[in-house]
Amino acid sequence: MDDVPITGLEELERHLQHVVDTPETPLDAKLFDEVELQLTDYNIPPLIPRLLPNLSQILLTYAQDPSILASLAIKLLRPIQFTQALTLASEDALIQALRSPAPSANILAITVVEKATRSPGDTAILSIMKALVGDFLRTWLSTPDVGVAEKATKALGDLLEVDCDRRSSAGINTKMSGLQLASGMPPGQGLLWRRIFQDREIYQLLFSLCSSTTVGTGEGQLDERQKSLAQARLLRILPRLATLDFQTITRSQFPEVEKSHQVGQPGILYFATVDMVNKEEDMLMHITLMDFFAEFLEMMSTTELTPSTMDYLAALVKKVATSDPTMYKHLETIALSPETAETSPELVEHLLKLNEYP
């Protein structure tokens, strides 16, 4: 059954070569679909050298919607490892795909980047590619496409989990669901963490794209709607990062970055929790922030915490509660809710402990 010839394969090869030679040639969507529907895990490997090189070449210059090309390329990339994918799609080609206005091209690039989650060695290789990491983060925060953002959020979380070198601080629940332990993977080297949080340009990029002080329509800026989406995406990933490496997200190698965005204390966690959202003017983001903080505290309640981490959390909760009466009421409601006591007793206990701090 697996040796059945693929109908239309030779015709598709000729078609791709013709598009390479004559770029204005319209794509034969029916032919692409016919071949793609016949692909299996068994028959894909021998097709990779026959189809992917021309697909990659066409994608670099194709001026129309590349969805048909990207769909086939993604399927062919499925069994390929990260380093092999880089021989078929260069860093510059991936950056170009990330910058494309076409969501399908973005998805294709993220599909390649997320292959680095297979091993800490691959994430280490990715960390060297500063421009690619920067454009990946920019696409994650600035794309208007929900599907692209969802895929990028998951990929980033998985990459940082594989790369994490401080898992000893994570609680049992977090560890048991971790990619490293689940796969028997060795600890990461922390190189991607350092690329993001200890490279000034990339660290600055996160603040610039998410800060309410940088709303605009100029080059590299986000308008109000897209700014809210960027903020929500950062909030979504922070609880996961907090259970992996709390120290990194609560410290800063570049205090001038925080200062330039009117942030009261160092660290991207403090920025996101206290100073990122314009609570008076963006009510929807204020609600999102309250939901985030409850989720964040719940995840921390099932994580083994050091005394210094508890001290930080207590100070953060106090700051948030005193500066935001609505947030205080929200946390109080959670702490006193019989439903929360039944479904998440760790969270209630955690809130009570934090409330007892001087």
Side-chain angles (χ1 to χ4, degrees):
M1 212 34 207
D2 288 322
D3 294 322
V4 174
I6 298 174
T7 304
L9 177 59
E10 288 76 16
E11 188 180 350
L12 178 61
E13 283 186 282
R14 290 193 296 271
H15 179 56
L16 289 173
Q17 187 60 54
H18 187 57
V19 176
V20 169
D21 297 335
T22 313
E24 63 271 16
T25 303
L27 294 179
D28 187 337
K30 184 178 179 181
L31 180 58
F32 274 83
D33 288 343
E34 182 181 24
V35 172
E36 186 174 337
L37 287 170
Q38 299 173 73
L39 298 183
T40 66
D41 290 342
Y42 178 85
N43 65 23
I44 283 177
L47 298 183
I48 291 170
R50 295 176 64 177
L51 300 178
L52 258 184
N54 276 347
L55 273 174
S56 301
Q57 187 173 343
I58 295 167
L59 278 162
L60 284 174
T61 57
Y62 194 68
Q64 307 301 317
D65 181 358
S67 299
I68 298 170
L69 297 162
S71 177
L72 179 58
I74 287 171
K75 201 154 190 178
L76 291 170
L77 283 168
R78 196 162 57 197
I80 293 178
Q81 294 188 1
F82 181 61
T83 50
Q84 185 182 0
L86 292 177
T87 66
L88 298 165
S90 67
E91 180 180 3
D92 287 342
L94 292 172
I95 289 171
Q96 186 174 330
L98 286 169
R99 292 179 179 179
S100 169
S104 58
N106 304 155
I107 293 286
L108 175 59
I110 296 168
T111 298
V112 174
V113 170
E114 71 180 350
K115 286 181 175 294
T117 60
R118 292 191 181 183
S119 76
D122 286 342
T123 58
I125 292 171
L126 175 64
S127 72
I128 299 170
M129 303 176 181
K130 175 178 175 176
L132 178 58
V133 173
D135 272 272
F136 172 82
L137 294 173
R138 181 180 292 279
T139 298
W140 166 50
L141 293 172
S142 62
T143 179
D145 188 88
V146 175
V148 173
E150 289 285 329
K151 189 172 183 65
T153 299
K154 184 181 184 306
L156 180 59
D158 289 348
L159 286 164
L160 289 173
E161 182 167 349
V162 170
D163 185 58
C164 184
D165 64 353
R166 291 180 181 168
R167 295 186 61 77
S168 60
S169 63
I172 296 300
N173 290 347
T174 304
K175 287 182 186 176
M176 293 308 291
S177 63
L179 293 179
Q180 292 179 347
L181 293 186
S183 63
M185 198 179 291
Q189 301 173 54
L191 296 176
L192 186 59
W193 283 83
R194 290 197 280 278
R195 171 61 70 197
I196 294 173
F197 296 102
Q198 296 181 25
D199 181 299
R200 192 188 187 286
E201 287 184 34
I202 291 184
Y203 191 63
Q204 160 72 22
L205 177 67
L206 295 176
F207 281 75
S208 176
L209 290 175
C210 293
S211 174
S212 293
T213 65
T214 57
V215 175
T217 55
E219 185 177 353
Q221 292 183 310
L222 302 181
D223 60 23
E224 289 183 4
R225 179 182 180 279
Q226 195 59 50
K227 180 71 67 174
S228 296
L229 291 174
Q231 292 173 347
R233 289 164 192 170
L234 180 61
L235 291 175
R236 182 173 177 186
I237 203 171
L238 278 176
R240 184 177 182 183
L241 301 191
T243 64
L244 292 169
D245 191 341
F246 193 80
Q247 290 185 44
T248 293
I249 65 169
T250 55
R251 297 180 181 179
S252 175
Q253 301 288 320
F254 313 103
E256 68 275 12
V257 170
E258 278 86 353
K259 185 177 180 181
S260 69
H261 291 94
Q262 303 172 25
V263 183
Q265 287 187 25
I268 199 163
L269 177 62
Y270 187 93
F271 160 67
T273 307
V274 180
D275 293 318
M276 179 177 75
V277 175
N278 187 331
K279 306 175 189 69
E280 289 74 27
E281 296 184 10
D282 195 339
M283 291 181 61
L284 184 58
M285 271 311 302
H286 192 191
I287 294 170
T288 301
L289 180 64
M290 290 190 290
D291 291 341
F292 148 77
F293 203 53
E295 179 192 351
F296 163 69
L297 291 174
E298 183 169 15
M299 288 192 72
M300 298 309 291
S301 73
T302 58
T303 303
E304 295 171 9
L305 304 177
T306 63
S308 62
T309 298
M310 280 295 292
D311 291 343
Y312 184 96
L313 285 175
L316 182 63
V317 169
K318 184 176 181 180
K319 172 65 179 177
V320 169
T322 55
S323 63
D324 186 348
T326 307
M327 178 74 84
Y328 175 82
K329 189 68 177 175
H330 181 60
L331 295 177
E332 184 181 51
T333 301
I334 291 173
L336 299 176
S337 166
E339 182 180 350
T340 307
E342 183 177 342
T343 59
S344 184
E346 299 92 350
L347 175 58
V348 174
E349 183 182 358
H350 189 54
L351 286 169
L352 293 175
K353 282 183 180 178
L354 292 172
N355 190 52
E356 292 169 359
Y357 268 68

